[in-house]
Amino acid sequence: NINAFETEGFALQVFYNIQLGEVFGSGEADDMGRLSLSAIWQHTDVLDQTALAGTAQSTVIPLKGSVGVFEDEWNVGAFYTIGDLSLTWSGRWMSEADGVDVAGEILPELIPDQWFHDVSAKYNVTEYLSVYGGVRNLTDNYVFIGPGAFAATPTGWSTEPDTYDGLGRRFFLGIRVNM
């Protein structure tokens, strides 16, 4: 199995961290917490797979814009902490995707761009004990593609679980003990 890949694109990462008391308070003595913001943008210009590269039977398969190989993808987050309390939001945005898999099976013609959001909180009760909880896939976004959507999709899934959230909204709670 002889394959070649050609790819072009770029990624950009930005991180910003600020003590809110220094901006909105009367100085460092005003503890209004710390806010951290982050963003990662990934853009794909080209992603082509050539099957049987260098032979007369070579075939170029353009992958950009297919499920999992988005033209644009953003991962963003915000983290706020004040005292023993921490709050976190993270989001993932994926541009629209072609719903036809590499084998040519017809699926929805176009899967629109998607947002997934997660939120969580943690509180340090003592130096040794913290409680935490949150919600994954806050908006309960589920991308239906079709039963057995792709050849590599696990049996029983009607989405691409490696790319889109296949479980829907879910909650978690926990206690952490440090000794």
Side-chain angles (χ1 to χ4, degrees):
N1 193 4
I2 304 169
N3 285 305
F5 286 93
E6 177 187 350
T7 184
E8 293 177 19
F10 62 87
L12 176 67
Q13 182 174 359
V14 178
F15 183 79
Y16 185 72
N17 192 13
I18 187 168
Q19 282 284 6
L20 295 177
E22 294 176 8
V23 176
F24 300 108
S26 59
E28 287 186 32
D30 292 338
D31 185 10
M32 299 175 78
R34 175 177 294 279
L35 178 65
S36 300
L37 304 172
S38 65
I40 300 171
W41 173 33
Q42 185 171 302
H43 176 77
T44 303
D45 286 319
V46 173
L47 182 56
D48 292 340
Q49 176 184 357
T50 303
L52 302 172
T55 69
Q57 295 83 20
S58 69
T59 305
V60 176
I61 303 168
L63 299 175
K64 179 185 104 175
S66 61
V67 171
V69 187
F70 304 103
E71 184 173 350
D72 290 293
E73 186 172 352
W74 283 88
N75 288 288
V76 293
F79 180 75
Y80 175 73
T81 183
I82 184 167
D84 292 320
L85 177 66
S86 300
L87 305 172
T88 304
W89 165 78
S90 63
R92 182 171 179 226
W93 177 83
M94 297 157 280
S95 59
E96 65 188 19
D98 183 2
V100 179
D101 74 0
V102 173
E105 296 177 26
I106 304 300
L107 303 168
E109 290 182 18
L110 189 66
I111 300 166
D113 60 315
Q114 302 292 322
W115 265 110
F116 292 92
H117 303 275
D118 300 332
V119 293
S120 63
K122 180 180 100 169
Y123 184 74
N124 296 322
V125 179
T126 69
E127 181 182 350
Y128 304 104
L129 176 69
S130 59
V131 294
Y132 61 91
V135 183
R136 300 274 185 248
N137 193 357
L138 181 67
T139 57
D140 199 22
N141 186 6
Y142 186 83
V143 180
F144 179 80
I145 297 176
F150 296 97
T153 300
T155 302
W157 287 95
S158 59
T159 190
E160 175 49 50
D162 292 337
T163 304
Y164 302 115
D165 186 305
L167 298 175
R169 181 184 306 127
R170 54 207 180 276
F171 302 87
F172 64 93
L173 288 170
I175 296 172
R176 178 165 288 133
V177 178
N178 297 322
M179 304 188 118

